[in-house]
Amino acid sequence: SSGINAEYGALSGDVPVSAASLRATFTNLSRSPHNNIEISTALGILSCLLDEPHVAVTHFRDALAHSPHDFMLWNRLGATLANSDRSSESVHAYRRALSLSPGYIRARYNLGIACLNLRAYREGIEHFLTCLRQQESEAVWQTLRLALSLDQHYDKLIHIDTRALQPLLNAFNIV
């Protein structure tokens, strides 16, 4: 523990710290015998902040190798892949997150977005409807409007305007 405290010294005090210097500190920590999931995750997040998604993916995968049942980490990996134009790869990560935590709305919504990016509109619509069934959200309603339009379900848009969820659930056989 004292080894970690000595290595974290660069992070203490009132000294302004850049993302690059934080990454250097965490990279050094990752080489120590105290390497853990949190360090790999922090490196992944910092790599995203530094607009290096390919590096972030590596760090998130390293963290997942030690914690394969962390649904939030699977979602982070999926989001990183999707944000770097790798939507087809992100689908696996989101599905893994949902297999571990079926009610995790953020992963379900992200999977819906990935489906839209892959032009799997119907599947995206189904994910957004599932989200809305779990929790009403203006953002999800608006994204569902887009998905319905992309899939040319213009006749269903009235249900978006009236926030009538049940007719949409029925139309897409969501139980």
Side-chain angles (χ1 to χ4, degrees):
S1 173
S2 63
I4 287 181
N5 289 337
E7 292 178 75
Y8 276 118
L11 301 178
S12 63
D14 295 323
V15 179
V17 179
S18 70
S21 66
L22 277 174
R23 182 174 58 184
T25 300
F26 278 106
T27 300
N28 288 336
L29 284 171
S30 72
R31 293 183 187 120
S32 79
H34 308 290
N35 186 8
N36 62 36
I37 299 157
E38 289 80 15
I39 291 170
S40 294
T41 302
L43 283 166
I45 293 167
L46 287 169
S47 296
C48 286
L49 291 172
L50 293 169
D51 198 25
E52 297 176 343
H54 58 286
V55 176
V57 166
T58 300
H59 290 301
F60 290 141
R61 285 188 172 143
D62 287 346
L64 283 164
H66 301 296
S67 184
H69 301 293
D70 185 334
F71 65 93
M72 293 177 74
L73 195 50
W74 279 105
N75 186 62
R76 278 193 182 109
L77 174 61
T80 303
L81 290 165
N83 290 333
S84 57
D85 295 324
R86 295 164 66 182
S87 290
S88 60
E89 292 176 66
S90 74
V91 168
H92 169 74
Y94 293 137
R95 286 191 175 143
R96 183 71 176 121
L98 289 168
S99 74
L100 295 167
S101 181
Y104 187 35
I105 293 174
R106 189 74 212 166
R108 173 91 47 206
Y109 179 80
N110 288 346
L111 179 54
I113 295 292
C115 289
L116 293 187
N117 289 337
L118 295 169
R119 298 179 186 205
Y121 302 131
R122 173 140 185 138
E123 187 177 344
I125 290 167
E126 291 169 0
H127 288 298
F128 299 134
L129 287 170
T130 301
C131 287
L132 288 169
R133 191 181 62 195
Q134 289 177 260
Q135 179 180 338
E136 298 261 342
S137 160
E138 185 60 27
V140 177
W141 278 110
Q142 292 307 315
T143 308
L144 178 58
R145 173 187 294 283
L146 172 66
L148 289 169
S149 296
L150 289 169
D151 207 30
Q152 301 180 357
H153 288 285
Y154 305 114
D155 59 318
K156 308 283 190 288
L157 294 178
I158 186 68
H159 301 303
I160 300 289
D161 296 335
T162 60
R163 299 298 188 258
L165 182 57
Q166 195 59 52
L168 290 166
L169 293 171
N170 293 344
F172 290 93
N173 299 313
I174 307 292
V175 291

